[in-house]
Amino acid sequence: MSAEGIRVLITDDHPVFRQGLKGLLQALGVEVVGEAESGPDAVRMAAELQPDVVVMDLHMPGGNGIEATRTITRTSPRIGVLVLTMFQDDDSVFAAMRAGARGYLLKESGAEEIARAVRAVAAGEAIYGPEIARRVLTYFTDMPDPRQTAFPQLTEREREVLELIAQGRSNQDIAATLFLSQKTVRNHVSNIFMKLHVADRAQAIVLAREAGLGESTRNPT
């Protein structure tokens, strides 16, 4: 989608910034259909004007942009919200994402980046500025794997055995997979049951699968 024909509602409590952004967008062929000074104003005007994109600041008097974003995306799902703010903390970024914002840029972004984001959001895409994208990537990269953090009382070998138990594998299969004797496997299974405080294999499987183990190749039998 080209910039021409896109209808935008600007929401920001600073009139100078609104005017500057309006001029930028109009120079690109974007139709600025309205300007809102607060979250409630944005909600009301979005419902009335049905723009393609609402460019939303987050912290404004009389109602914040997060709540406005949530209301707009819930009541008018076709409208895309592009957050344009000076705040780049994780709380603001992820609150906006949970509220339904399709894009998140910082106000220091260049004209070309803002224009590209408006086009992308109008086309139904999700887009984030470089710094925000790095934050999102870092957040998810640093998240611990629940399969590794679960059951810290188990040894590495016991965790491997539990993974195979969760897949529905028999002791014989486990022994063959890990190149262990069946007696050794039985000892590991017994230790696992004791450490997990479970009475049998079925209870161990339930606990393991709740923790995300055994998801790769579960035996359907």
Side-chain angles (χ1 to χ4, degrees), residues 146-147 150-151 166 203-215 218:
R147 293 172 296 181
F151 314 123
Q203 291 181 3
I205 290 174
V206 170
L207 283 181
R209 290 184 177 180
E210 286 179 347
L213 274 66
E215 294 181 341
R218 291 181 181 169

Side-chain angles (χ1 to χ4, degrees), residues 10-14 17 21 54-60 63-66 69 81-97 101 103-110 113-114 117 127-132 135:
I10 298 174
T11 305
D12 197 288
D13 61 319
H14 293 95
F17 182 81
L21 181 59
V54 176
V55 178
M56 181 77 71
D57 192 13
L58 288 186
H59 298 279
M60 299 171 288
N64 66 60
I66 297 296
T69 297
V81 176
L82 169 64
V83 171
L84 186 59
T85 182
M86 60 187 294
F87 297 94
Q88 56 178 312
D89 59 284
D90 288 350
D91 287 345
S92 296
V93 172
F94 292 108
M97 292 173 65
Y104 198 113
L105 292 183
L106 300 179
K107 286 186 175 180
E108 63 191 36
S109 301
E113 188 175 359
I114 293 174
I127 188 166
Y128 301 94
E131 177 59 32
I132 303 304
R135 281 183 173 274

Side-chain angles (χ1 to χ4, degrees), residues 194-205:
M194 179 182 65
K195 290 181 179 181
L196 297 186
H197 305 289
V198 296
D200 54 33
R201 206 177 194 88
Q203 291 181 3
I205 290 174

Side-chain angles (χ1 to χ4, degrees), residues 101-189:
R102 290 185 197 161
Y104 198 113
L105 292 183
L106 300 179
K107 286 186 175 180
E108 63 191 36
S109 301
E112 182 177 340
E113 188 175 359
I114 293 174
R116 181 169 59 90
V118 168
R119 288 195 296 268
V121 170
E125 301 173 13
I127 188 166
Y128 301 94
E131 177 59 32
I132 303 304
R134 279 192 292 271
R135 281 183 173 274
V136 173
L137 180 60
T138 299
Y139 175 83
F140 287 107
T141 301
D142 291 345
M143 286 182 68
D145 186 340
R147 293 172 296 181
Q148 295 179 357
T149 58
F151 314 123
Q153 69 271 41
L154 300 183
T155 66
E156 183 176 351
R157 176 62 82 185
E158 288 167 350
R159 197 185 308 276
E160 291 175 342
V161 172
L162 182 59
E163 169 71 30
L164 295 173
I165 290 174
Q167 293 177 14
R169 307 279 286 277
S170 67
N171 284 359
Q172 183 177 357
D173 288 339
I174 294 172
T177 300
L178 299 180
F179 302 101
L180 300 173
S181 69
Q182 291 192 47
K183 179 180 179 181
T184 299
V185 171
R186 285 196 299 270
N187 290 337
H188 284 313
V189 171

Side-chain angles (χ1 to χ4, degrees), residues 29-100:
V30 172
E31 180 184 358
V32 178
V33 296
E35 300 176 40
E37 299 182 356
S38 68
D41 285 344
V43 171
R44 176 180 54 81
M45 295 179 71
E48 294 175 356
L49 301 171
Q50 290 295 303
D52 300 305
V53 178
V54 176
V55 178
M56 181 77 71
D57 192 13
L58 288 186
H59 298 279
M60 299 171 288
N64 66 60
I66 297 296
E67 289 302 322
T69 297
R70 183 176 293 110
T71 301
I72 291 170
T73 57
R74 184 179 66 246
T75 58
S76 300
R78 61 162 295 278
I79 299 176
V81 176
L82 169 64
V83 171
L84 186 59
T85 182
M86 60 187 294
F87 297 94
Q88 56 178 312
D89 59 284
D90 288 350
D91 287 345
S92 296
V93 172
F94 292 108
M97 292 173 65
R98 287 192 295 270

